Amino acid sequence: MTQVLANFIQVLRAASIRVSTAESIDAATALRVVGWDHRDQLRETLSQVLAKTPEDKRAFHDCFDRFFIFETPLAGVPAADPQTPEAGEGSAQGPAAEAGAGGSGVGGGGLAELLDNPDPSALQQAMASAARAVQLQNIRLFTQRGIYIRRLLEEMGIEDFDRALLAAARQTPGAPDIARRREQKDRLLEDVTALVDRQMLLYTANARTALREEVLQKTPLTRIEMSDFKTMQLLVRKLAKRLVALHSRRRRVAKRGQLDLRRTLRRNTGFDGLLFNTVWKQTKVDRPKIIAVCDVSGSVAQVSRFLLLFLYSMSEVLPKVRSFAFSTQLGEVTEWFQQKTAEEALALTMKTWGMGSTDYGGSLAELERLTEADLDHRTTVIVLGDARANYGDPGDRVLRRIHEKVRRVLWLNPEPRSFWNMGDSAMQKLAAGCDRVEPCRTLLQLERIINEIARGAG
Amino acid sequence: MTTANASDARNAILAIQQGFENSGYIASEAIATAVFLAQALSKPILVEGPPGVGKTELAAATSALLGKPLIRLQCYEGLDEAKALYEWKYGKQLLYTQVLKEKLGDLMQGAEGLKQSLARLHEFDDTFFSEEFLEPRPLLKALWAKDGAVLLIDEIDKADEEFEAFLLELLQDFQISIPELGTIKAVTTPVVFLTSNNTRELGDALKRRCLHLYIPFPDNRLEQRIIASRVPTMGAELREQLVGFVQSLRGMDIKKAPAVSETIDWARTLLLMHATELEPALVRATLNVLLKFQSDIELVDLEVPSMVRRAGGS
């Protein structure tokens, strides 16, 4: 039974539910109390001990249903016991084999008898214990499928079965029994194949997605295929959630030298009002106000959409985000992102502001006009763009004016560093009005930058 | 091997479920299993779920079922040891020193020099830091309860992370360390419930030490049973329509879905208005019992007639 539990926990981990060793021990203890007899009860017990968030619970129920399809826990049958006669090993010489050979025209060891058994659960049990004997839980690759199917069949005694079948076919070809045996064998093969496939899916459920996500994080955002957008959005949400968890706690910094008299008195009542312990006044570290300005023309649009998706997925820790989109003209898109789904908001943004060539000078001037009231020492301005001003006014003077008013200006450029300042790129001029200029080509870089912003570090 | 044992467990769980039902708390099997496991494994239960599904109620029902007192600790930002665990009765300590001043003088008589006086004082050293002068707060009360208790730590997510860490010792070993007195161990292990509304993610260390029970909104059948138990005077037909309506509300895209407590309130409201079946006009007039945002009410208002029809009303 412990082996079954261990396998199940392995499956849960493959489905990226985090199960600690302590929790595995708890599960074993709980099962000793509750037992395996009642399916619902088993599921509830394990889910309460092993899955500890609502998302994990959902994944858990899914895993439970798939895992316990074939390992049906039946009362009184010690399924984990390798000595079970159904397991097939060595049973060809046993009395069961002889009885089988005598009973039907074609013998074939314990397996034949098992296939004749009208109770399908006996066969299921035998398959389960054979699967355990060949350690099917270690299957990882598609190419291992054939090997495991073969090993499983051997473990169940297919060789004796085949030999008996062959001998019978030589002696009395065309006997109806032989056809029946052949059919039985085909059906067994189907069952075993299905079992192996199921197990492979079970134990490798997340391995592929994990690899894919890792690659996607490092792929330049401009080169991501349309078909990967869904995965990317999920990935952005996942990363954002991690950052939220990291920053959800508001930091406090003690102001040295300012005594908090009320708290000090309260803490020292125990000393008859003598001030032994002093409490200093604290300030909360402010969450930054963010103004995000995104170029939504052409290839930059791809990166913009992920930046905006990121910022809005973090609304719990970044409550004050205003976003603007521009190409020829600039407009505010904050409301769309707050009210609509990410897809709708992005589509609407692209449709409304995404046409035409980029006018940096005009757009930055418009930005200054629209956000005048919000530009103060707590504001962080993030500009995302390739700084290609089509040889027009890059707006560097306006940007410097904004820079003087706000806490900091970050410029994210989706082009690789070597392309900056080539052709019509005005990066150098604009950099004078920024605190930092960062390349922002992959999701990984994007995450790092947003992490720094959320931390409130200058 | 565990068959006898397991059927015992099964019976115990069903008994708990029945016990809850008798006291008017309709519990799903998951809830009964959790309460059983908590006692069998001596582990606290962390209860999560949307607001208003009966998380706090569960602790009260358990206390009634086990016949043990309910000790409740409401968490909030800034909650500290002095309010959760214990505090010295400073006033009493001061008063006693004043009253006993002369007595002390008597005791000190004949003592030569500071050293001897101190030595005498040491003979009574812990008088002022004994349990006499300890003001127990909820956590300590739960540990001291001779016949056990049900301890409810409500809305743990509202407390600071430091407090969460402080709880770990209590949750794991049911003991707590007080610097002046040493370690205090529970006389009888209390049944501990922690509830959370998920305003922030709880630490892994805390989750690892608890059983995790998620109470979702009840399904149609369970909710009908709850209404039948809480508002017994309501007719079966109206109850069916009412629950059907609320269930379809939860499927809509609204800010705050109505919880079980709101369904109960609504059922009582309808009874007060002598309703015999759902009618659009009546539903519209009482919608503010179910929905707590004006924008939600406006959104649902248009759909009321078709929803009422689907729920089986006229």
Side-chain angles (χ1 to χ4, degrees), chain A residues 67-326:
Chain A
F67 184 80
F68 285 107
I69 281 181
F70 88 98
E71 307 211 42
T72 324
L74 287 170
V77 181
D81 187 357
Q83 301 305 307
T84 322
E86 291 105 311
E89 42 197 338
S91 55
Q93 291 90 29
E98 278 155 31
S104 57
V106 184
L111 182 59
E113 194 204 345
L114 204 61
L115 290 172
D116 284 335
N117 194 336
D119 178 13
S121 68
L123 182 66
Q124 290 282 326
Q125 297 260 336
M127 277 207 311
S129 38
R132 239 171 269 124
V134 301
Q135 297 187 324
L136 189 56
Q137 73 269 21
N138 289 336
I139 190 166
R140 286 294 172 273
L141 297 170
F142 185 72
T143 44
Q144 290 173 318
R145 231 173 119 242
I147 299 174
Y148 272 102
I149 292 174
R150 185 71 215 159
R151 274 195 211 151
L152 228 156
L153 285 172
E154 275 169 17
E155 186 66 35
M156 293 180 76
I158 195 82
E159 281 176 335
D160 289 330
F161 184 87
D162 275 346
R163 220 172 292 131
L165 189 62
L166 202 64
R170 274 210 202 103
Q171 267 176 13
T172 49
D177 222 31
I178 292 172
R180 191 173 61 87
R181 282 285 185 230
R182 288 228 167 91
E183 200 192 309
Q184 275 179 341
K185 191 188 160 187
D186 286 347
R187 213 174 307 142
L188 177 70
L189 191 64
E190 265 171 37
D191 284 353
V192 168
T193 312
L195 170 67
V196 170
D197 283 348
R198 218 157 48 217
Q199 290 288 296
M200 197 172 65
L201 268 181
L202 211 51
Y203 287 104
T204 58
N206 261 25
R208 228 172 356 156
T209 8
L211 182 68
R212 181 106 206 94
E213 284 180 1
E214 204 187 313
V215 173
L216 277 178
Q217 282 190 28
K218 292 179 192 154
T219 314
L221 291 167
T222 41
R223 249 184 265 150
I224 280 170
E225 308 276 334
M226 271 314 264
S227 57
D228 280 328
F229 270 147
K230 267 253 141 47
T231 328
M232 282 299 279
Q233 282 184 359
L234 287 178
L235 197 57
V236 167
R237 295 229 171 84
K238 208 155 105 186
L239 292 177
K241 211 176 151 198
R242 206 167 67 198
L243 290 185
V244 168
L246 204 63
H247 298 295
S248 63
R249 196 174 158 201
R250 300 197 68 171
R251 286 190 303 156
R252 292 201 177 92
V253 178
K255 279 191 200 164
R256 286 190 64 87
Q258 274 198 47
L259 194 67
D260 189 334
L261 197 62
R262 194 175 58 83
R263 281 172 199 272
T264 308
L265 283 177
R266 176 69 183 82
R267 188 169 294 182
N268 289 293
T269 31
F271 309 116
D272 200 8
L274 289 173
L275 306 185
F276 277 119
N277 295 330
T278 47
V279 184
W280 303 104
K281 282 201 169 154
Q282 297 181 326
T283 41
K284 288 180 179 172
V285 174
D286 268 321
R287 298 248 157 84
K289 276 198 287 188
I290 291 178
I291 293 177
V293 192
C294 294
D295 185 349
V296 287
S297 67
S299 64
V300 191
Q302 292 264 25
V303 187
S304 299
R305 74 190 287 161
F306 289 117
L307 175 70
L308 291 177
L309 196 59
F310 225 125
L311 289 178
Y312 282 95
S313 305
M314 291 178 64
S315 58
E316 282 164 59
V317 286
L318 301 174
K320 286 177 218 138
V321 180
R322 282 182 78 182
S323 40
F324 299 86
F326 72 96

Side-chain angles (χ1 to χ4, degrees), chain A residues 427-448:
Chain A
M427 198 62 249
Q428 200 166 17
K429 271 188 179 171
L430 284 164
C434 303
D435 292 275
R436 271 170 64 191
V437 183
E438 288 282 333
C440 168
R441 287 167 53 67
T442 66
L443 207 54
L444 219 56
Q445 284 173 334
L446 195 58
E447 189 207 0
R448 205 165 49 214

